[in-house]
Amino acid sequence: MAQPITLPPLPYPEDALDPVISARTVALHYGKHHRTYVDNLNRLVAGTDLEGRSLEEIIAATADQPAKAGIFNNAAQAWNHDFYWRSLTPKGGARPPGELAERIAAAFGSYAAFRKDFAKTAQEQFGSGWVWLVAEANHLAIVRTANAHLPRLPGQRPLLAVDVWEHAYYLDYNNRRVDYVDTVLERLIDWNFAAANLAREPDLSHA
Ligand code: FE
């Protein structure tokens, strides 16, 4: 029997991000939304040639194929949410370290300008989606993706992600998406996670 995709454990207790992200939001977001993407994915790939493949392999095999959108959406959302939880940490925020700080200043002018651009990008995303800091060939960039999509152009490497689906913030911030994004950047972003992603090879297959 092929191994199913599993729901990775949350890297901290459900109430650890409170009050920036409430325990109630995390309980629903992780325990219901994230879990449902994983459960749906396992149901959809059961008995197909994608059963037993890794999340990254399933994403690469189904991206840009309308007939496989259901599998892609659930696989991508499973990947995106795991990446999102690991982009956050209860004692996060503050300033990016070392090389990352230099790369941010080079790409955006300053850390303050980066913050402003990231919040603006979150505001510009119409409807559900994600905002990412990514490393590209020689520079960093902020990109937004709709729905389940993730940055997977050749050479693009996600460093951190913020979920801007309403389920990520509506209970705590109502319709104030920019307040949510800005407070997450200020207090929860795990810059060590972003720095580790900058330092390693891409983990998404672009084959
Ligand atoms: Fe979400």
Side-chain angles (χ1 to χ4, degrees):
M1 179 106 181
Q3 276 299 104
I5 298 293
T6 54
L7 178 69
L10 200 62
Y12 30 74
E14 285 186 354
D15 62 357
L17 307 180
D18 193 272
V20 180
I21 302 175
S22 67
R24 188 166 164 237
T25 289
V26 176
L28 283 166
H29 196 180
Y30 172 74
K32 302 289 184 194
H33 292 276
H34 188 174
R35 181 183 302 278
T36 299
Y37 295 127
V38 173
D39 290 347
N40 284 345
L41 176 63
N42 283 319
R43 186 170 46 76
L44 289 168
V45 300
T48 75
D49 59 357
L50 293 173
E51 187 174 14
R53 308 265 297 274
S54 73
L55 216 39
E56 289 81 2
E57 288 171 334
I58 295 171
I59 290 168
T62 58
D64 311 315
Q65 295 184 54
K68 294 187 174 169
I71 296 174
F72 171 81
N73 285 336
N74 284 284
Q77 283 295 76
W79 194 93
N80 294 350
H81 280 84
D82 180 46
F83 195 81
Y84 169 63
W85 299 123
R86 291 187 291 133
S87 294
L88 309 179
T89 183
K91 294 202 185 329
R95 294 300 180 94
E99 189 198 342
L100 191 52
E102 288 165 22
R103 299 279 295 268
I104 285 173
F108 306 104
S110 66
Y111 172 73
F114 157 76
R115 286 273 300 267
K116 213 168 159 186
D117 281 7
F118 200 98
K120 183 166 174 280
T121 304
Q123 190 170 32
E124 287 168 351
Q125 173 55 36
F126 185 80
S128 297
W130 297 83
V131 182
W132 310 78
L133 177 63
V134 300
E136 296 180 341
N138 288 313
H139 68 287
L140 302 187
I142 295 166
V143 302
R144 56 187 165 87
T145 59
N147 301 317
H149 289 278
L150 61 154
R152 42 184 319 283
L153 294 175
Q156 259 184 347
R157 191 177 351 158
L159 303 184
L160 62 85
V162 177
D163 189 341
V164 298
W165 284 56
E166 284 186 346
H167 66 222
Y169 61 88
Y170 212 83
L171 291 176
D172 300 326
Y173 296 84
N174 304 135
N175 62 330
R176 301 188 312 278
R177 179 189 283 179
V178 168
D179 284 357
Y180 150 74
V181 169
D182 210 48
T183 312
V184 164
L185 287 176
E186 178 73 32
R187 298 182 56 184
L188 297 182
I189 281 295
D190 188 349
W191 285 113
N192 292 326
F193 176 69
N197 289 327
L198 183 63
R200 73 181 162 75
E201 292 300 307
D203 63 355
L204 281 179
S205 168
H206 299 290

